[in-house]
Amino acid sequence: MKSLLIAVIAITTVTSASAQSLPGGFVYLRDVDPTIIQDIRYATSNNFVGRPLAGYNAGECVVKQEVGLRLKAVQQELATQSLSLKMFDCYRPARASLDMVKWSQNGRETAAERRYNPRIPKTELFRLGYIASHSQHSTGAALDLTLVDLKADNAAKIDPSRSYADCTAPAAARLPEGSVDMGTGYDCTDAMGHTAAPSITKEQRAWRKRLVAAMARQGFVNYSKEWWHFSLPGAGGAAYDFPIQPRRN
């Protein structure tokens, strides 16, 4: 999810982190399983804020080591079905969550932002549990992800000259994501984005169930308001604020 509100969280600020040295048992997911597709959206302008978030200095998935190993196991299972995980967000610096807070309070709401929040004003996203100032992502134990059908044509790219529909529209009308059709786009703050939403098609529901089941077999728990958000109970701990830096080969 964009953020999961947790009542008490200790934020450990690490003033610098080298590209090869990560604190607290964190690892680059590419070092654990390079076959898992990554599209770290908060390191780009292709997200609900419309720009890279604070602390995302590289589009790299960083996770706790246990989380990475379990994701590798999920990926190995999916590979036998010509499927792959695609990561949208992993570890999130605490400063990025505060960046979201500032965004929600800036008094503006653009058409591009409304694509992600078609029915909910951005000022209401905190009260409704879609964004919080403290995120479980900052512990390294929460993830945003989807499935990719490796047999399908996933080559569609965003056309900047095109006016896309909001995240609840049919897949052909909304921003392309190169993944299976889960019924909404990623980060869609709408009832249709709830995992068990009754308004999606039978096929879309089957894809969601397939993702939830594959993740559950490795101990991951889905957040009911966001089909894309999963966490691994017991793998978190303190929150961190070190920036995501480029990974050295």
Side-chain angles (χ1 to χ4, degrees):
M1 60 189 256
K2 287 177 186 171
S3 301
L4 176 64
L5 182 60
I6 49 181
V8 178
I9 188 167
I11 298 180
T12 302
T13 300
V14 179
T15 58
S16 65
S18 73
Q20 289 183 309
S21 177
L22 295 171
F26 285 87
V27 295
Y28 286 98
L29 184 60
R30 290 190 204 277
D31 291 334
V32 178
D33 191 334
T35 72
I36 297 176
I37 300 168
Q38 297 189 30
D39 180 12
I40 307 303
R41 298 281 286 275
Y42 298 147
T44 74
S45 60
N46 182 20
N47 58 59
F48 69 96
V49 176
R51 57 170 172 75
L53 289 178
Y56 283 83
N57 300 337
E60 290 288 346
C61 174
V62 173
V63 292
K64 285 291 183 72
Q65 185 174 33
E66 180 185 359
V67 173
L69 291 173
R70 289 176 184 256
L71 287 173
K72 180 181 179 71
V74 175
Q75 182 76 347
Q76 289 174 335
E77 176 189 339
L78 294 174
T80 65
Q81 307 163 48
S82 296
L83 297 173
S84 173
L85 292 174
K86 174 184 267 193
M87 313 304 299
F88 288 131
D89 194 32
C90 303
Y91 159 73
R92 179 185 305 163
R95 71 190 72 180
S97 294
L98 297 179
D99 202 1
M100 291 179 184
V101 174
K102 293 178 182 177
W103 164 83
S104 73
Q105 299 171 346
N106 66 14
R108 301 188 304 272
E109 198 144 19
T110 68
E113 291 172 351
R114 295 297 291 173
R115 283 202 298 256
Y116 293 88
N117 313 303
R119 300 178 181 91
I120 304 172
K122 63 198 283 186
T123 54
E124 289 290 291
L125 297 178
F126 284 87
R127 184 180 66 82
L128 296 175
Y130 289 106
I131 304 179
S133 57
H134 302 296
S135 171
Q136 194 174 1
H137 278 276
S138 298
T139 72
L143 311 155
D144 294 342
L145 49 80
T146 189
L147 291 175
V148 174
D149 182 352
L150 298 176
K151 296 179 293 184
D153 179 4
N154 299 304
K157 303 296 182 183
I158 296 175
D159 180 354
S161 67
R162 180 178 171 185
S163 179
Y164 291 98
D166 71 59
C167 59
T168 65
R174 62 180 188 257
L175 285 164
E177 294 188 335
S179 55
V180 303
D181 181 9
M182 292 288 189
T184 74
Y186 167 56
D187 258 356
C188 189
T189 50
D190 187 87
M192 282 184 66
H194 296 185
T195 309
S199 54
I200 60 175
T201 69
K202 181 179 179 180
E203 183 177 9
Q204 292 162 348
R205 186 172 296 106
W207 278 120
R208 292 187 186 189
K209 288 181 177 180
R210 196 166 180 178
L211 175 60
V212 170
M215 295 294 287
R217 283 191 282 274
Q218 289 300 322
F220 292 99
V221 176
N222 174 248
Y223 176 54
S224 63
K225 284 190 174 182
E226 297 176 348
W227 59 257
W228 55 85
H229 178 90
F230 294 83
S231 59
L232 184 62
Y240 288 78
D241 191 38
F242 63 89
I244 301 170
Q245 303 286 23
R247 167 185 164 273
R248 292 179 184 171
N249 295 326

